[in-house]
């Protein structure tokens, strides 16, 4: 599985390798789309910009790459619900990404 973090200035692609998460930063959507299509893995992710997410999806589909699944809401149980109210989507996704497998 490949995790995708679409930010305003870059796209982060995370993957478990050797027991740890390795993140590759892509400067633009075309570079990220090419890497995603090349991997062909299941992709889930988050975004701060739905428009950029949709543009990335279109670029991946144009390269016959895998479907992307955007996470919404709180992707994991948290001990204190206030964490989900105050933490950004990137922080919550990082917590999910830190879970083995």
């Amino acid at each position: 599985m490949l995790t995708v973090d679409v930010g305003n200035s870059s796209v982060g692609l995370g993957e478990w390798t050797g027991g740890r998460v390795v993140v590759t930063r892509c400067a633009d959507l075309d570079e990220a789309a090419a890497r995603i299509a090349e991997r062909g893995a299941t992709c889930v992710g988050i975004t701060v910009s739905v428009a950029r997410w949709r543009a990335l999806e279109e670029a991946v589909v144009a390269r016959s790459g895998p479907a992307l699944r955007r996470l919404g809401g709180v992707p994991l149980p948290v001990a204190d619900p206030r964490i989900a109210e105050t933490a950004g989507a990137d922080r919550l996704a990082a917590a999910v990404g830190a879970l083995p497998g």
Side-chain angles (χ1 to χ4, degrees), residues 32-66:
R35 288 178 182 261
I36 291 168
E38 175 183 288
R39 286 282 297 122
T42 300
C43 298
V44 296
I46 60 165
T47 187
V48 295
S49 169
V50 175
R52 280 180 52 86
W53 180 273
R54 289 187 180 136
L56 178 62
E57 280 182 312
E58 290 175 12
V60 170
V61 168
R63 290 172 171 81
S64 300

